[in-house]
Structure formats: C-alpha cells, structure tokens
Amino acid sequence: RKHPWLMVCERIAQRQGFFHWQLDFATVFARGGFDLQVGNPPWVRPRSDVDALLAEGDPWWQLALKPSQAQVAKKRAATLALPGMTELVVDGMVEVLSIAAFVGSVAQYPHLQGLQPDLYRCFMEVMWRHESARGTIGMIHLNSHFTDKKAGVLRNELYLRLRRHWHFVNELKLFEIHHHNHFGITVYGARKASPRFIQASSLYHPDTADRSLIHDGSGPEPGLKDDEGRWDVRPHRSRITHVAEELLRVWHATMENDEVPVRQTRMVYAVNQSSTAVLQKLATAQRIGELGLRFSAGWHEKDDRRKGYFESGWGVPTSWDDVILQGPHLFVSTPLYKTPNRSLRNNQDWSATDFEQLSTDAIPATAYQPVGDQYDYDCAYTDWGDEEHPDPARDYYRVAWRAMADIQNERTLIPAIIPPGAAHVNGVFCVGSSASSRQIAIVVAFAGSLLADYLIRTAPLSGIYEGSFSRLPIVETHAAQPELVLRALRLNAVTNAYADLWTDCYQNEFSKDVWAGGFAHERQASLGGVGPEWTPETPLRVAADRRQALVEIDALVALALGLTADELCSIYRTQFAVLRGYDRNVYIYDANGRLVPNSVLTVWRKKGDRITAEERTATNQARNTYTYELPFVTLDREADMREAFAVFEQRLRERS
C-alpha cells in the first residue's frame, strides 16, 4: 500500500520474465555468492521478424516464393489495413526491441559491448557476477563467442575464468537441435592472473572427453570420422589440449593481427596434437592480407534487391556484365561449377556443369537479373577508387569464395577466380588487385588448398569474412611457383573470359611441366601441352585430371609452407572426414577419367564387371550422354599426395 510502484514492478517482472537474484537469494549473497551454478541457459537472440508478425494476418508472408519488391510493398499495405494488424505489429516489435535494448546494455553487461544480444552470453556474465570466491560454474551453451571477432573483450575475461572446455558437434543428435550445430560444455572458476585450461574439440559424445582424460596415449590419433566412416568417438590423450599463454600466442599468430591483444584471440579447435603441431608451423607464414588486395562483399542480397538494382528470375545473360553470381556457382578452383535450374525451387535446385562439353564462350545461367538503369547499377557496385579516379571492382579478375562456412561439408573454404564484369551477392565475397595477374593465380592456389581449408575449420564461423581470408598463409615467391600457377590456371580458366589472365600469367616453364603421378587414364591431358594463347584445350576438362591438379596443388602448398607429407596426410585423414568418405565410396572413375554417376554405380555394385554397355550409359544433368568404360576405380588421395610431394621435393632438390 505504501509503494504502489512495487506492485507495478512485480507485474512487469512476471509478464516479462525478469528475475531479481539479490532479492530472491538474499541469504546466499550475504554469504558471498553461489558455490555451484549449473545450467543450460536459453540460446536465443532477441530479433524482430516483421514478416512473421504480418503472417498472423495473411499467411502469404510465409508462403510466397521470392516475391518482387513491388509485390511486397503492395501486400504490406493491404495486410496492415486489416483490423488490428498495425497494433499487433507495433506491439510485437516494441517488445523485442525493448528486450534487445536491455540485454545489450553495456552498464548491465559490460563484457558484451559491441556484440549482438544473446541470452546465453548474458547468463555467463550474470553467473560470473554471482559466484563466490571458491565457486564453480558449469554451463551448456553455444560456442559462437569463442570465434566471434567482435567478442574479444568477452574472451579476455573468460580465458581467465575458464577451467575446462568441451566442444561438441551434435551429429549424434544428443540435443533436439540441428545435427550440424556446435555447442560447448564449459566449466568456470574464480578469476586467475593468467589463462590456464584444458579443452577438446569436435567431440560427439561426452564419454569421449571423460575417457580421453585417462587415456595412455597409445594407438592412432582420432579425427572427425573413423576408418568405417562413423563419427569418431574414440578417446585419446592427444585430444586434450592444454591452453596457457604460450599456446594463446600461437593461436594469435594464426588468427589475429597485431592490433588484437593476445588474450582476446579467437579460439582454435584442433582435433588432436598433430593438428596443433601444424598450426605452430603455419603461425610464422606470410599472410594473404599482406599483399594489399582489396575486398568486395558484392550486392547485399536483401537490401540491394529492395533498392531495385536486381530482381529474382532465371536467365542466361548475354554478357558477363549482367552476371550476378551466387555461392553454388563456385567450387574449389572451379568457376561455373553449377547453374540454377529454371524452376528456382530452393538452393539445391542447381545442375552440375559438364566441363567436357562446356563451350568456349559459356556464360552461366543466374537466378538474379539486373534491372533499372545500367549506369546506376554500375555506380552502386563496389568501387575501389574515388569520385575523381573511379576503379570498379568488376573491371578485374578476382578471387571469390563462398561466404557460408560449414565444417561438416566436403570442403569449407571454396575459392575460384571470377572474370571481369561479373558481380555477386553477399553469399560470395572476393578480393582483387590491379597489381599482378599472377598474384591472383597464386592466391587462389593457396586458398584452395587443404591446408587453408583446415585453418578456416580450426575457428569455425557461420561465414568466412575478409579477416578470416586475409589471415590465410601464402608464399608469394617460391621455386615451385610456375608449377603452382599452371595448375591453378588450368583449373580456373574454363572459358575464353579468362584468356587475358592466361596470357598475362603464361611462363615458358609451363611447356616443360609434367604430372607428378596420379591416375594415368585413357584420356589424360598433357599438363605442359599448352601455349601462351588461351584455347579450348587450355582448361582441364576431364574429372580425374582436375582432381589430380588439386592433389598436386596440395602437395606444392605443403612444401612451400614447410610441412611434411605425413603432416599433410594427417590433416586430410583427421580433418576432412566427408571428403575422405567421398574419395573411398562415392568418387569412382571410369577408364576415361570420368566420374561414374550413381545410376550406373547402383547397377555395377550389384552385377560387378558383368554390367552391360547399355547399363553403363547415362545422361548427366547437363543433358550429355556417355557410356562409362570399365574398369571403374577409386583413387587414393593420401597415396597420390605422398607421391606428388616426393616428386616435387626431388625436382626442387635438383634445381638448388
């Protein structure tokens, strides 16, 4: 009765879920705080979803497939005109924005400054604040703050409190979340003067962590999957990483620039001790960021479409100037990898390119088409100059890569060279330069290697942004540079749009080069059989030849960075489980070096080599028909990398 405002506070707290710790646990705080706190805080970011609110009045907002901006504007006005809809949308927005403002308050959560609000991070800060001097905290939560570039202030604090960190991937579906999701079990204690904790990465079951702590270290080191293709739950002492200031410095050299304090370094997820040893070697290498390349995020897929620079719609542009690339257009050193189907149902509705039949002047089909004034379109895209001296990014050959990162896929870092004229949405990022065409070829070779991919995987993020790409290692001048450039260009220069790049980069040493081993199939291309002018024979067109070029690039990059063949193969074996599984069970080649399609393999696995010519004939997604010739073989990537490594090592020894 004396304090009516208290009743209001209680009503608001009950409705909004506020909890007054100091009032409800006054006796605990009088003794100094909690000795034990255990919890699974909500993994939720307060975000507004206007379309979901509008769908309460008209389900069109959730059912429409890529509507035009004109349709969206017309439908929004009609939906808001429905009785009560304006109030529903405003109330929904106000509630979310208010919560976001509270949990994003620097005064309330000082270590979360500059971060997107996330309730589990708020709980971390609250639990640290509530622990006693001898207190222990155990939490299950997302791991995004360990690798979020903006979370340095938070990491600086948590590294001093962290005791144990177990990093899990939900492939065994222990949680009712997506099976690719990452989460962590973390144990915190009182703040120390310097970091000292243990961790294990890429775990699938908590029992693996427990048993690894008492393992004797015998037997082969585990990876992501075992030799039978199952998720690797074997315990091993090498899974346990002891983290202190010294290892943080190695992580820092690998992940950060000098402006970032060591204790704000992003966490590195090394599966075993061999992976950690490779990181220590790569920590001293030159970085791509030192080359001075310029970055472009391309068109913003939502905002720039709303501004009217392009619209959804299938089409084959008449010029590269009208091409807008998306992630599936690219694979490792492979532009024009796939093209969207006319139906445009989803991001899986794409067809693979047949490079054997690809025309010399091919331009890919695209799912976005430029609209409006061409001059406005050109001016609005990334320009690396200024008003007086414009320097459009689209004037150059650029190294582009898929922005989305998924370490559970065959490959995570997926770069390729894109030609002048092409634009892309921000599902693709790129770097370029006017300084040297050869530099672009070297960058795509190093970025497309297994070792660069491994470095991206050690600090998993949802996207591979400029900072992550710029930290990748490179050796700009090396005795094996001609071999590296030749293989990179024969993979990337797939049409005459790359003719100028080929001519600029051509070296006389190309004509003397030969394969360093691999599968000698019936139609194997002569590696050095190329001249200074681009011709239809310049790109490698047969699948087995393209694979061998990638294998040899991996060996050359490992040599240039000072790794051994054993270390390269260990990274492949333990870090690239999906690729290794494909190499052993999916990627099967015929006598002509073609990949055999599943429709033929299904019959072959039942009948063996008794399969008939008719049963060996199939039409691919590009509508080309082939008869696949026996014998069908799988190729051993590890053996091929070792062979190539030894050949290149001998060649370099003879030159010195």
Side-chain angles (χ1 to χ4, degrees):
R1 286 195 297 269
K2 289 183 178 179
H3 305 288
W5 58 266
L6 185 57
M7 296 172 61
V8 175
C9 288
E10 288 176 347
R11 282 202 305 271
I12 294 174
Q14 186 175 12
R15 185 169 67 248
Q16 300 293 343
F18 290 114
F19 189 76
H20 296 281
W21 294 87
Q22 283 76 8
L23 291 178
D24 284 271
F25 292 101
T27 55
V28 172
F29 287 102
R31 296 196 304 266
F34 292 98
D35 293 338
L36 177 64
Q37 299 175 82
V38 180
N40 175 9
W43 310 353
V44 176
R45 286 184 175 178
R47 287 177 170 172
S48 56
D49 188 343
V50 177
D51 287 355
L53 292 170
L54 291 170
E56 294 293 325
D58 187 340
W60 180 90
W61 290 95
Q62 296 294 321
L63 300 176
L65 180 63
K66 294 186 177 181
S68 69
Q69 292 308 299
Q71 289 176 305
V72 168
K74 183 178 180 180
K75 181 63 74 170
R76 181 185 295 111
T79 305
L80 289 174
L82 295 173
M85 278 306 301
T86 299
E87 291 77 7
L88 185 148
V89 171
V90 170
D91 288 347
M93 289 287 291
V94 166
E95 183 173 347
V96 173
L97 292 173
S98 299
I99 293 172
F102 177 79
V103 299
S105 166
V106 175
Q108 188 73 16
Y109 305 104
H111 296 105
L112 306 186
Q113 184 173 2
L115 299 179
Q116 289 190 12
D118 197 312
L119 297 187
Y120 88 83
R121 297 179 183 181
C122 297
F123 269 85
M124 288 169 58
E125 180 113 29
V126 168
M127 292 171 82
W128 293 346
R129 195 182 302 154
H130 292 172
E131 72 173 338
S132 68
R134 61 180 186 178
T136 299
I137 300 168
M139 301 177 69
I140 301 175
H141 51 63
L142 293 179
N143 274 352
S144 58
H145 59 289
F146 284 120
T147 51
D148 186 340
K149 188 174 182 179
K150 297 180 180 180
V153 174
L154 179 61
R155 282 191 295 274
N156 188 87
E157 182 69 18
L158 73 84
Y159 282 156
L160 298 177
R161 298 174 177 273
L162 195 57
R163 301 294 186 267
R164 293 187 178 185
H165 170 233
W166 309 125
H167 162 243
F168 290 92
V169 186
N170 195 43
E171 291 292 354
L172 297 183
K173 301 181 181 178
L174 302 184
F175 270 113
E176 293 180 358
I177 54 176
H178 192 274
H179 65 99
H180 280 181
N181 277 19
H182 295 235
F183 63 93
I185 294 179
T186 52
V187 177
Y188 299 99
R191 197 174 191 273
K192 288 187 175 182
S194 61
R196 188 169 297 277
F197 60 90
I198 62 174
Q199 74 166 23
S201 302
S202 298
L203 302 171
Y204 305 105
H205 197 284
D207 183 57
T208 306
D210 284 340
R211 291 190 292 145
S212 293
L213 287 170
I214 58 174
H215 191 267
D216 62 4
S218 61
E221 290 186 326
L224 300 180
K225 285 189 175 182
D226 59 23
D227 290 341
E228 285 70 47
R230 299 170 303 202
W231 296 109
D232 199 338
V233 296
R234 292 172 296 173
H236 201 284
R237 188 169 64 191
S238 72
R239 285 186 180 274
I240 306 299
T241 301
H242 294 263
V243 183
E245 199 88 39
E246 183 179 356
L247 185 56
L248 275 183
R249 293 187 184 281
V250 172
W251 291 357
H252 185 271
T254 305
M255 302 297 303
E256 310 293 359
N257 57 43
D258 294 338
E259 298 175 0
V260 177
V262 171
R263 291 185 183 176
Q264 294 188 14
T265 299
R266 284 170 286 175
M267 182 169 280
V268 169
Y269 295 153
V271 176
N272 50 44
Q273 294 298 326
S274 295
S275 304
T276 302
V278 169
L279 279 175
Q280 291 172 327
K281 284 191 174 183
L282 298 180
T284 59
Q286 181 188 8
R287 304 294 167 186
I288 288 177
E290 297 172 30
L291 303 180
L293 301 176
R294 294 171 293 185
F295 173 78
S296 172
W299 291 119
H300 191 284
E301 194 162 4
K302 182 178 179 180
D303 292 349
D304 285 324
R305 180 166 163 257
R306 183 182 295 153
K307 292 175 183 176
Y309 295 119
F310 57 90
E311 268 295 358
S312 298
W314 187 91
V316 180
T318 57
S319 162
W320 277 97
D321 289 340
D322 293 329
V323 168
I324 301 176
L325 298 170
Q326 295 173 266
H329 279 110
L330 310 177
F331 199 62
V332 179
S333 280
T334 308
L336 283 72
Y337 173 63
K338 287 185 177 181
T339 54
N341 298 323
R342 288 177 180 270
S343 46
L344 294 179
R345 289 189 298 268
N346 51 53
N347 61 359
Q348 303 297 316
D349 192 15
W350 291 60
S351 294
T353 298
D354 182 353
F355 287 98
E356 291 189 47
Q357 302 296 329
L358 186 68
S359 64
T360 59
D361 58 353
I363 295 175
T366 58
Y368 288 126
Q369 311 303 322
V371 294
D373 185 80
Q374 182 69 43
Y375 179 77
D376 290 342
Y377 177 88
D378 293 341
C379 290
Y381 200 73
T382 305
D383 193 297
W384 290 326
D386 52 37
E387 289 187 10
E388 293 185 5
H389 304 93
D391 194 13
R394 292 166 60 222
D395 285 355
Y396 299 103
Y397 291 101
R398 290 147 287 159
V399 177
W401 66 93
R402 293 188 193 179
M404 183 174 291
D406 188 344
I407 69 171
Q408 305 303 319
N409 283 346
E410 175 185 3
R411 296 295 294 265
T412 300
L413 176 59
I414 298 176
I417 299 175
I418 61 174
H424 55 81
V425 293
N426 60 340
V428 173
F429 296 144
C430 79
V431 292
S433 171
S434 59
S436 167
S437 297
R438 192 173 301 170
Q439 193 178 68
I440 293 297
I442 297 170
V443 168
V444 82
F446 274 84
S449 68
L450 286 177
L451 291 173
D453 201 329
Y454 160 63
L455 284 178
I456 294 295
R457 289 172 179 233
T458 57
L461 294 165
S462 59
I464 307 171
Y465 300 97
E466 179 185 10
S468 298
F469 192 84
S470 68
R471 295 299 299 163
L472 296 175
I474 193 170
V475 180
E476 196 174 3
T477 57
H478 190 266
Q481 185 193 98
E483 286 93 337
L484 201 61
V485 171
L486 172 60
R487 287 158 179 79
L489 288 180
R490 293 206 68 182
L491 287 166
N492 282 273
V494 293
T495 70
N496 59 13
Y498 296 85
D500 291 341
L501 178 68
W502 174 264
T503 301
D504 289 346
C505 294
Y506 186 82
Q507 303 173 59
N508 291 331
E509 291 91 336
F510 287 3
S511 62
K512 305 171 187 175
D513 204 348
V514 295
W515 293 110
F519 177 33
H521 58 86
E522 296 291 335
R523 300 167 60 241
Q524 187 174 34
S526 168
L527 185 63
V530 289
E533 301 296 326
W534 189 95
T535 70
E537 287 70 45
T538 299
L540 295 170
R541 295 183 178 275
V542 179
D545 292 344
R546 295 186 66 82
R547 172 198 174 276
Q548 182 63 22
L550 289 171
V551 165
E552 295 188 9
I553 286 174
D554 287 332
L556 285 164
V557 168
L559 265 170
L561 292 172
L563 270 65
T564 66
D566 285 343
E567 288 170 328
L568 172 61
C569 290
S570 175
I571 291 298
Y572 163 68
R573 190 169 55 253
T574 62
Q575 305 288 331
F576 291 88
V578 175
L579 174 61
R580 189 167 177 240
Y582 286 174
D583 283 337
R584 301 170 81 179
N585 304 304
V586 177
Y587 293 154
I588 297 176
Y589 298 81
D590 80 342
N592 290 318
R594 293 188 177 110
L595 275 171
V596 184
N598 285 332
S599 60
V600 174
L601 289 176
T602 300
V603 180
W604 176 68
R605 288 186 172 116
K606 293 177 180 177
K607 300 179 66 173
D609 288 352
R610 293 178 290 107
I611 186 173
T612 66
E614 183 180 359
E615 291 167 332
R616 288 187 279 107
T617 302
T619 301
N620 62 25
Q621 290 181 325
R623 299 184 180 85
N624 297 315
T625 301
Y626 298 107
T627 298
Y628 298 87
E629 302 297 339
L630 296 169
F632 295 167
V633 297
T634 56
L635 304 179
D636 187 335
R637 188 180 296 265
E638 189 169 337
D640 290 343
M641 287 193 299
R642 289 184 184 277
E643 181 182 27
F645 191 98
V647 169
F648 290 130
E649 197 171 37
Q650 179 63 29
R651 290 184 192 178
L652 294 175
R653 193 179 298 118
E654 292 171 354
R655 291 178 195 172
S656 61

